[in-house]
Amino acid sequence: MNDIPHLTIQEGELRFSFDYKDSRSGQPMHRDYTARLTPDGKLEGVMRSSDGGELKWTGVRAPVITDKDDGSWRDGTPVELFNHKDLTGWQGMVPNQALGWAMKDDAMANVAGANNLVSVDSFWNFKLHVEFRVGEHSNSGIGLRGRYEVQILEDYGKPPNTHSNGALYSRIVPAVNASKPAGEWQAYDIRLVGRTVTVVLNDQKVIDKQEIEGLTAIAGNADEGKPGPFILQGDHGPVEFRKIVLTPLVQ
């Protein structure tokens, strides 16, 4: 989430730019965006970066989602998304890149810099129970519908912020830091109805029925009106997952 200090519309063209520090290299960067509105209500534009990169992009309006967590939803039949034997049901997010995941003591574990895992199946409204473990200084996350990341971070004892363990990445700060120390197993119980999310970390409610205002950086596609997969982030430090149970919510 970057502040945009320069934003104008000139002769029908939207222009905005911002400066930031690259999270991997630590180098200062600058990006310029231009776009025009098309007859069908989209934005067609170009992004130019200070490192010489150029990318054409299309912006679409976020769909209206009417589903609310209003007490009308009931549990469907729970489904195990991890069979404790192999990675059946999961695939790499980046095509033609090695997975970098393997079985380890009844859990799926990554190597640093691994491909992110994406579930083969897609889901809409649900409850999700996940048990995970991270090493020191490690970072991971769970992508809901492949669009909204619940952060996983080794941050025991630190003040909560938008990038903390239990945060809706870059958008919603957890109410408390409920993290356990590095190397201990932890558990998420996540509920998503429409754009309303509740997150329980290690039996403490850290986000209570808050609205997600938009995509986070983990997003694989922007079509918020359709079901989406789960993403298990593996491209940072070491992380293990030993239990992943999906319970669909139905009316």
Side-chain angles (χ1 to χ4, degrees):
M1 301 285 287
N2 298 99
D3 292 328
I4 300 176
H6 310 295
L7 177 65
T8 63
I9 298 176
Q10 300 178 16
E11 299 179 353
E13 184 177 65
L14 172 67
R15 301 177 182 178
F16 61 92
S17 63
F18 59 86
D19 299 290
Y20 70 101
K21 181 180 290 187
D22 184 81
S23 60
R24 296 186 185 277
S25 68
Q27 297 299 311
M29 300 286 289
H30 178 82
R31 286 186 175 179
D32 286 297
Y33 291 76
T34 58
R36 290 185 179 275
L37 192 65
T38 66
D40 59 353
K42 298 179 180 179
L43 287 175
E44 296 284 354
V46 178
M47 181 278 291
R48 296 178 175 87
S49 178
S50 56
D51 63 0
E54 183 172 303
L55 178 70
K56 293 183 179 180
W57 58 275
T58 300
V60 299
R61 295 183 187 277
V64 174
I65 298 177
T66 59
D67 290 353
K68 300 294 181 183
D69 197 358
D70 55 7
S72 64
W73 298 87
R74 58 182 177 82
D75 292 0
T77 302
V79 179
E80 290 265 6
L81 300 185
F82 171 45
N83 65 14
H84 305 278
K85 299 176 182 178
D86 53 36
L87 298 177
T88 298
W90 298 88
Q91 59 192 3
M93 188 173 184
V94 180
N96 303 317
Q97 177 181 317
L99 283 182
W101 292 78
M103 295 299 300
K104 178 184 176 182
D105 300 328
D106 198 38
M108 59 172 77
N110 74 326
V111 296
N115 206 339
N116 292 339
L117 290 182
V118 181
S119 65
V120 172
D121 294 327
S122 293
F123 307 92
W124 185 239
N125 295 330
F126 55 80
K127 295 193 309 186
L128 182 70
H129 177 79
V130 178
E131 296 178 11
F132 66 94
R133 178 165 65 181
V134 291
E136 291 186 3
H137 313 298
S138 192
N139 181 324
S140 180
I142 303 168
L144 312 179
R145 298 194 196 123
R147 300 174 191 121
Y148 317 120
E149 179 184 348
V150 177
Q151 171 79 311
I152 290 176
L153 186 70
E154 189 277 296
D155 66 350
Y156 178 73
K158 297 180 180 179
N161 57 53
T162 56
H163 289 177
S164 295
N165 201 32
L168 199 290
Y169 187 81
S170 78
R171 292 193 176 275
I172 302 176
V173 179
V176 296
N177 183 332
S179 300
K180 294 182 179 181
E184 293 191 19
W185 283 102
Q186 306 188 58
Y188 269 131
D189 288 284
I190 302 167
R191 181 183 178 95
L192 181 63
V193 177
R195 290 191 178 95
T196 307
V197 65
T198 296
V199 177
V200 176
L201 172 60
N202 299 324
D203 297 322
Q204 293 191 60
K205 188 176 289 185
V206 297
I207 297 176
D208 187 12
K209 290 186 179 180
Q210 294 199 42
E211 292 296 309
I212 302 172
E213 294 183 343
L215 305 177
T216 69
I218 204 170
N221 71 76
D223 198 345
E224 293 185 85
K226 293 183 179 180
F230 291 109
I231 298 173
L232 302 180
Q233 192 174 47
D235 60 357
H236 292 309
V239 63
E240 299 170 61
F241 295 91
R242 71 177 180 185
K243 195 172 185 65
I244 307 171
V245 181
L246 178 284
T247 302
L249 295 174
V250 297
Q251 286 184 315

